Amino acid sequence: SQKIEQNSEALNIQEGKTATLTCNYTNYSPAYLQWYRQDPGRGPVFLLLIRENEKEKRKERLKVTFDTTLKQSLFHITASQPADSATYLCALSYSGAGSYQLTFGKGTKLSVIP
Amino acid sequence: SAVISQKPSRDICQRGTSLTIQCQVDSQVTMMFWYRQQPGQSLTLIATANQGSEATYESGFVIDKFPISRPNLTFSTLTVSNMSPEDSSIYLCSVEFGNEQFFGPGTRLTVL
């Protein structure tokens, strides 16, 4: 069966360091992979999208890589700040039976310690 | 982009009752999506609502339990019927623009 795993439920990191979150998947051939941020009591907010033919995508302090051979995406936040503390979700998009599909991982709760 | 509002933001309901959640989008969209996020779990797609046709339900979700309305291109409702404590969850509606998914703030439902 299809599966998405985010490597840890929680990650603590010192302010200023680079946070690296991992998303692994099995039995998918995704068209693209997305990363979202979710704060408590709020809906997820889109951050970045990377397509299957792209290796890396950057946006300000965020960087996403996508390795379709390893079936893995890495999400990096450089120079992390306490305001980056949130839950980060990865999601895979693929076309199934003509309908749009978006499947989410459980998320990694990031805490940036001052 | 899209701005999405949901009502109610939260509710506490008795077992056996039903709750209807409303979702309003500030733009016209073809498809609206309803998700459930149970405590400690990932977002799970319940159904896709197209205007003018019946909703498409994902495996494990049925119309009798989660009837959906889509009367126009900016509005949808999801009803959670005959509720049990297992239905306690956050329910989110969502739309897609250009491969980006936009989410409402969610409705936190507690069933006693």
Side-chain angles (χ1 to χ4, degrees), chain B residues 68-106:
Chain B
I68 286 171
S69 79
R70 185 78 204 276
N72 58 53
L73 291 172
T74 63
F75 187 79
S76 179
T77 68
L78 170 77
T79 300
V80 186
S81 302
N82 188 24
M83 289 184 284
S84 65
E86 291 72 36
D87 295 320
S88 297
S89 185
I90 298 172
Y91 292 86
L92 298 123
C93 73
S94 175
V95 301
E96 185 217 358
F97 279 109
N99 296 328
E100 287 187 35
Q101 199 91 351
F102 295 88
F103 287 87

Side-chain angles (χ1 to χ4, degrees), chain A residues 32 34 36 38 41-44 46 49 51 89 100-102 104-106, chain B residues 31 33 35 37 40-43 45 58 92 96 99-101 103-105:
Chain A
Y32 38 86
Q34 304 179 16
Y36 290 80
Q38 187 173 24
R42 312 283 288 271
F46 173 84
L49 177 151
R51 300 182 186 282
L89 308 170
Y100 174 84
Q101 296 276 355
L102 190 63
F104 285 84
K106 289 186 181 180
Chain B
M31 292 192 289
F33 304 91
Y35 286 85
Q37 189 174 29
Q41 301 298 314
S42 61
L43 278 79
L45 182 63
E58 298 301 309
L92 298 123
E96 185 217 358
N99 296 328
E100 287 187 35
Q101 199 91 351
F103 287 87

